[in-house]
Amino acid sequence: MTTAEHPGWHARHHDDAFEALSSSATDGLTESVAAERLLEHGPNRIEGKAGRGPLLRFALQFHQPLIYILIVSGSIAAFLGEWADAGVIFGVVIVNALIGFIQEGRAENALAALARSVASDVTVLRDGQRRRIDAVALVPGDVVWLAAGDKVPADLRLFDARALQVTEASLTGESVAVGKHADILPVDSGLAERANMAFAGTLAVAGQAGGVVVATGRGTETGRIADLLDATETLATPLTQAMERFSNFLLIVILGLAALGFAVGSLRGEPLLDMLMAAVALAVGAIPEGLPAAITVTLAIGVARMARRRAIIRRLPAVETLGSTTVICSDKTGTLTENQMTVRALVAGGQHYAVSGDGYAPEGVVSLDGQPAKPAGPLRDLLLAGVLCNDAGLAEQDGAWTITGDPTEAALLVSARKAGLDENALRQTFPRIDEIAFDSARQYMASLNRLDDGPVALVKGALEVILPQCATMLDGDGEPVAVDVEAIDTMARAMAADGLRVLAFARAAVDGEALDESKLAGSLCFLGLQAMLDPPRQAALQAIQACAAAGVRVKMITGDHADTALAIARKLGLASDGARAMTGRELAVLDADQLRGVVREVSVFARVEPEQKLRLVQALQANGEVVAMTGDGVNDAPALKAADIGVAMGAGGTEVAKDAAAMVLTDDNFATIEAAIEEGRGVYDNLVKFIIWTLPTNFGEGLVILFAVLAGVTLPITPLQILWINMTTAVLLGLALAFEPVQRDVMSRPPRAPGSPILDGVLIRRIVLVGILLLVAAFGLFLRWRGLGASLEEARTVAVNVFVAGEIAYLFNCRNLRGPFWCCGWWSNPWFWGGIGSMLLLQAAFTWLPAMNRVFESAPIPAAAWLEIVAAAVAISAAVGLDKWLAARRGASAV
């Protein structure tokens, strides 16, 4: 029996649940019935789907249009007996496939992490006896008993809740522990409002409870998230989409040119085998063989740079996707906020105190009118009540402050420490005698402690419960006076309007050493208020401002209360004073078109459930946005996977979120996303630089072969020489562009429009210009030196060196697509100069080394030829510089 089959467990009496599940609160299930149900429902764990095997992943590396052309070209070369050409072509294909295979080797582990998020042992009632069993063996109908510190092993309908509090932030986004009870709730209660349910994978932090298992494994709310992960496709990134379109375009052009050359040559009566080799040469020349490797290396360099800035990339294309991001959908708890409840304000003796510092580190002060306040009088009484009527713990471990128990209670300990009060010393001095545990129905906790003047009951809880029971309050001198209900309500409402959670404190002298609820009613003395919130990260505020300057919008999507979310959003500049937050209940009634309209206007979404987070991401994508989704909880995982780039928190995030994301922030700092966007834009710039640098060579080589066929002359360069040019220059020259530093203006530009081509009209014109210049220089010098009596090998060597020298000269232009190359700094990229030096040495070997002459059919050339080669290269660079200058004069942008 699953949640899907009975979606309204929270709306049914627990006795009905027992009846529906054929179980009993006093005896539980029998072992025989449990064994039958285990066979029927399966183990209480989340099984993952089988992934693609290594052989299939390797085979899919060849499933690319340009690779098809290379395979066919290599096969034709082998058929014609050109074994050297065929071997090099197939070698290029295999190397590219291996690079892709290695990069995809890390399997996605989100479902395995979900399985690990469920507890391993549990106390269960079987045959009327309590026993500990492996949680995997739980079945619907089992009776489970929870205590503080237990991880909830399955979805439970509670029937006996005794001050149970559960942290559900990883599932619902609720930033504070949720009090649980066993009462019936409305059928339309949202996931975060089902206080009579305990969900698999959440943690009990206080109290005890008994519950009946209503769903296990895939039937739990955590299991439904696993189903969403299964159903969510990992999107192609803007880069992969653009490269696919670009590859398909190149495929058509290359095949067209090869077919044209073959047809023209055949009609002229040229031998068919020669025309086949010419077609192979043209195809090999026009294909940018180094492009896949260059993309991988450029992205990998981006990964290394981001890692130094505390962003770990799990999928390479995600590096570039960050540079395309137009909207960031951020979770609130733990992402935009510290995920550490912090007391911000105190009210005691009619005075309003401010508390500085964030998180659990007791660093900060309690101040009155800007001056540090002494812990005396009403202020000390208030803080003392917060310490003694408290079950939490606070400790420093390895330089970091950690808590045990409820985060709200821990915040009270921190506020006391900031005033100089140590909870350990106070608890020893004023020991607890008795207590009334917190209960969600009662909405308060009471502790009986032995103080200096005898047993005193200290009470904390909701203001609307505590205040009516107070007859007096402390004035500024610590003397009891008549309680001013209106003044207290006014102060509490003002703090709540700022998104603060307000707790009230009171005390009463007690006769004897036992607490009795009836004796507290109407006899309490009001001590004051402590108001707290999960504070926004200061670095997140600056990062949001930087994102806005870069044209990137930020939206908050959280499972927390609407008022709290909106207050935090206003502090972060995400929402104006008149803005409103839209709740999950409001989202549920919207169809897809209405939702697309809403996401354009609304920036804060609260009380949102996992499926709704996913819908919001998909609605933004339907509007043409490139969406980055940040989060740290189990409830964020489906949306993290569906987003163009999912960003998980590394330190405080769940394993489920990390494994579903494409990027993990090691410092859990929203500000790191801004740095990653900057690096992502730099990576894209460098990719464009490589593409605009390499394509003119391929275009020029293709034109040289085509014109040779059309003119009926010998090929100026052979297929093997073309591969030599393409692969050596791509590695030694082109990859140097991957190390170019990020340009200073990168974060002052708007995001690249989704769906925009990699190359715009200006860049395409430049590719054509350089390709034609290479054609004229290489073909012209080839024919010139043949006319001067040079051998075919010498003339081809001249043509090859024209291409290499032209690429070196053009490489300078490509360092800066918008202006002169010297603006980047002459020595800002040492790889640039190292690549040029290495390439010159290789070309010297290609030209003069006998072994290279034999393999590549090259030959030494005279000094006069070298002078003409250098002149041609300088002319190409000067022409490109003039084109950039003219483009700037016309106000055109190179990118």
Side-chain angles (χ1 to χ4, degrees):
M1 209 160 292
T2 66
T3 303
E5 293 168 342
H6 286 275
W9 290 114
H10 61 280
R12 307 172 66 174
H13 194 277
H14 50 72
D15 289 340
D16 293 339
F18 278 112
E19 183 177 350
L21 294 165
S22 302
S23 184
S24 163
T26 55
D27 296 320
L29 298 177
T30 64
E31 287 290 355
S32 59
V33 169
E36 292 172 3
R37 293 188 181 182
L38 188 60
L39 291 174
E40 178 185 354
H41 296 281
N44 178 33
R45 60 172 172 243
I46 301 166
E47 305 286 358
K49 293 196 303 185
R52 294 185 305 199
L55 289 179
L56 178 58
R57 285 194 292 112
F58 183 70
L60 288 174
Q61 304 307 314
F62 300 95
H63 184 50
Q64 302 175 43
L66 298 183
I67 297 299
Y68 294 156
I69 299 178
L70 285 177
I71 292 173
V72 172
S73 299
S75 301
I76 292 174
F79 174 74
L80 297 176
E82 301 290 343
W83 299 111
D85 291 3
V88 174
I89 293 172
F90 285 129
V92 170
V93 171
I94 294 297
V95 168
N96 279 330
L98 285 173
I99 290 173
F101 175 75
I102 291 169
Q103 293 301 331
E104 290 184 7
R106 183 169 183 173
E108 295 183 5
N109 297 316
L111 295 179
L114 276 167
R116 291 194 299 270
S117 73
V118 178
S120 57
D121 291 315
V122 62
T123 301
V124 66
L125 189 66
R126 293 265 179 95
D127 291 317
Q129 301 293 320
R130 292 194 186 190
R131 62 192 68 178
R132 296 284 289 178
I133 66 170
D134 192 330
V136 172
L138 281 179
V139 296
D142 263 326
V143 174
V144 171
W145 290 96
L146 298 174
D150 287 346
K151 187 169 284 188
V152 180
D155 283 1
L156 310 177
R157 172 58 169 95
L158 302 177
F159 64 88
D160 183 11
R162 304 177 185 178
L164 179 69
Q165 295 189 63
V166 178
T167 56
E168 298 178 338
S170 67
L171 183 65
T172 67
E174 176 67 68
S175 56
V176 297
V178 178
K180 296 293 184 177
H181 58 74
D183 300 335
I184 299 174
L185 292 171
V187 70
D188 62 348
S189 299
L191 189 66
E193 298 164 346
R194 297 175 191 174
N196 57 9
M197 301 285 295
F199 298 110
T202 59
L203 182 68
V205 295
Q208 298 176 333
V212 58
V213 175
V214 296
T216 59
R218 288 267 178 173
T220 64
E221 292 297 331
T222 301
R224 290 199 308 117
I225 291 175
D227 290 336
L228 289 173
L229 282 170
D230 278 352
T232 302
E233 295 294 330
T234 302
L235 291 185
T237 70
L239 175 65
T240 56
Q241 292 168 342
M243 287 308 302
E244 183 178 356
R245 292 191 298 269
F246 182 60
S247 297
N248 290 334
F249 170 75
L250 279 183
L251 174 65
I252 295 170
V253 172
I254 292 167
L255 290 179
L257 290 176
L260 176 63
F262 180 82
V264 171
S266 300
L267 290 174
R268 292 181 48 142
E270 300 287 347
L272 290 180
L273 294 184
D274 288 351
M275 289 303 95
L276 273 177
M277 278 309 295
V280 168
L282 195 153
V284 170
I287 294 175
E289 293 90 354
L291 184 56
I295 290 174
T296 300
V297 171
T298 304
L299 293 175
I301 291 168
V303 167
R305 287 177 174 177
M306 289 186 183
R308 289 195 290 271
R309 301 182 77 168
R310 300 185 180 275
I312 305 300
I313 299 296
R314 296 183 65 248
R315 301 186 187 96
L316 275 186
V319 178
E320 181 274 336
T321 308
L322 277 164
S324 312
T325 299
T326 59
V327 175
I328 300 174
C329 293
S330 179
D331 183 41
K332 177 184 72 68
T333 306
T335 306
L336 293 171
T337 65
E338 299 282 359
N339 198 19
Q340 296 183 352
M341 293 300 291
T342 304
V343 173
R344 283 285 196 226
L346 306 171
V347 174
Q351 302 279 2
H352 197 118
Y353 298 85
V355 184
S356 62
D358 290 333
Y360 297 132
E363 299 167 358
V365 295
V366 177
S367 60
L368 177 65
D369 298 328
Q371 298 298 317
K374 295 181 180 180
L379 175 61
R380 183 179 184 279
D381 291 337
L382 173 65
L383 295 172
L384 183 64
V387 168
L388 299 181
C389 187
N390 192 318
D391 292 323
L394 181 68
E396 186 179 17
Q397 295 179 347
D398 301 323
W401 288 87
T402 60
I403 68 164
T404 55
D406 180 64
T408 298
E409 290 194 321
L412 302 176
L413 301 183
V414 176
S415 68
R417 285 222 185 192
K418 289 175 180 177
L421 302 179
D422 181 273
E423 73 276 5
N424 297 312
L426 292 174
R427 286 169 174 174
Q428 268 194 320
T429 305
F430 307 118
R432 183 180 296 181
I433 306 169
D434 195 10
E435 68 177 271
I436 299 174
F438 177 86
D439 182 270
S440 57
R442 188 186 298 116
Q443 294 191 40
Y444 73 84
M445 171 186 177
S447 170
L448 183 62
N449 292 74
R450 186 174 289 108
L451 302 188
D452 294 334
D453 49 356
V456 174
L458 302 169
V459 185
K460 78 167 187 294
L463 178 66
E464 61 269 23
V465 174
I466 301 295
L467 192 55
Q469 307 303 322
C470 294
T472 59
M473 59 181 283
L474 295 183
D475 64 10
D477 297 322
E479 297 297 325
V481 295
V483 65
D484 188 341
V485 173
E486 185 176 349
I488 294 170
D489 273 336
T490 299
M491 287 186 287
R493 281 196 301 271
M495 290 188 288
D498 286 336
L500 298 174
R501 185 183 184 212
V502 181
L503 282 182
F505 295 81
R507 73 181 182 193
V510 175
D511 294 330
E513 298 192 348
L515 271 178
D516 186 341
E517 280 188 68
S518 61
K519 293 183 179 178
L520 297 178
S523 63
L524 296 177
C525 177
F526 183 78
L527 298 177
L529 304 171
Q530 294 205 44
M532 64 191 70
L533 84 166
D534 182 10
R537 295 177 181 267
Q538 288 305 305
L541 173 60
Q542 299 166 3
I544 288 169
Q545 292 170 345
C547 286
V552 180
R553 290 171 292 137
V554 180
K555 295 182 182 293
M556 178 191 292
I557 303 177
T558 179
D560 211 342
H561 293 282
D563 290 342
T564 303
L566 198 56
I568 295 294
R570 288 185 180 127
K571 292 178 186 295
L572 291 169
L574 293 180
S576 62
D577 289 340
R580 62 181 292 265
M582 179 162 279
T583 65
R585 188 170 294 180
E586 293 171 309
L587 291 175
V589 300
L590 300 180
D591 61 26
D593 289 338
Q594 291 172 320
L595 188 59
R596 287 179 61 180
V598 164
V599 295
R600 290 190 186 98
E601 305 298 331
V602 179
S603 295
V604 182
F605 299 89
R607 281 305 199 207
V608 177
E609 298 190 8
E611 298 95 327
Q612 293 170 334
K613 290 190 177 189
L614 185 57
R615 284 189 68 205
L616 287 168
V617 169
Q618 292 169 338
L620 285 163
Q621 290 169 334
N623 286 342
E625 307 285 0
V626 177
V627 182
M629 170 74 189
T630 75
D632 59 356
V634 173
N635 61 329
D636 297 321
L640 286 172
K641 187 176 179 184
D644 295 277
I645 178 167
V647 183
M649 303 297 116
T654 62
E655 289 301 314
V656 182
K658 294 176 196 174
D659 289 331
M663 184 173 85
V664 179
L665 307 183
T666 60
D667 58 357
D668 285 13
N669 193 340
F670 184 88
T672 304
I673 299 173
E674 180 220 338
I677 289 176
E678 180 182 345
E679 291 292 347
R681 292 186 176 187
V683 164
Y684 185 79
D685 277 359
N686 290 346
L687 283 173
V688 172
K689 290 173 185 176
F690 178 87
I691 291 170
I692 196 179
W693 170 81
T694 193
L695 285 187
T697 304
N698 300 114
F699 182 54
E701 289 166 345
L703 288 178
V704 165
I705 301 299
L706 182 61
F707 271 73
V709 172
L710 295 176
V713 300
T714 306
L715 296 182
I717 45 179
T718 67
L720 193 57
Q721 290 170 343
I722 289 172
L723 282 172
W724 165 264
I725 296 170
N726 290 355
M727 295 309 295
T728 56
T729 58
V731 171
L732 295 177
L733 300 181
L735 289 185
L737 294 171
F739 293 91
E740 284 294 314
V742 177
Q743 291 183 269
R744 287 188 293 269
D745 67 340
V746 74
M747 287 302 282
S748 61
R749 307 180 214 150
R752 197 173 71 258
S756 61
I758 292 178
L759 304 176
D760 62 12
V762 175
L763 296 185
I764 291 173
R765 187 186 70 236
R766 190 174 301 167
I767 289 170
V768 172
L769 170 66
V770 177
I772 291 175
L773 291 174
L774 286 170
L775 163 68
V776 171
F779 209 117
L781 289 181
F782 172 80
L783 294 177
R784 167 176 160 73
W785 283 92
R786 284 292 281 166
L788 292 173
S791 67
L792 180 62
E793 289 78 9
E794 289 172 332
R796 281 177 169 168
T797 303
V798 170
V800 168
N801 278 295
V802 167
F803 271 102
V804 173
E807 287 190 78
I808 290 174
Y810 181 46
L811 189 68
F812 282 88
N813 301 102
C814 291
R815 291 193 66 195
N816 188 338
L817 298 176
R818 298 169 181 81
F821 64 85
W822 54 81
C823 293
C824 299
W826 284 95
W827 308 107
S828 60
N829 182 3
W831 292 92
F832 176 82
W833 297 104
I836 291 175
S838 300
M839 193 67 235
L840 292 174
L841 289 175
L842 278 182
Q843 279 310 110
F846 175 88
T847 304
W848 285 298
L849 201 63
M852 299 287 280
N853 296 156
R854 287 192 297 273
V855 172
F856 290 99
E857 299 179 356
S858 59
I861 56 177
W866 283 111
L867 288 175
E868 293 176 4
I869 290 168
V870 171
V874 171
I876 290 171
S877 182
V880 174
L882 178 62
D883 177 66
K884 288 203 290 188
W885 181 76
L886 291 173
R889 285 284 300 269
R890 290 191 300 266
S893 173
V895 173

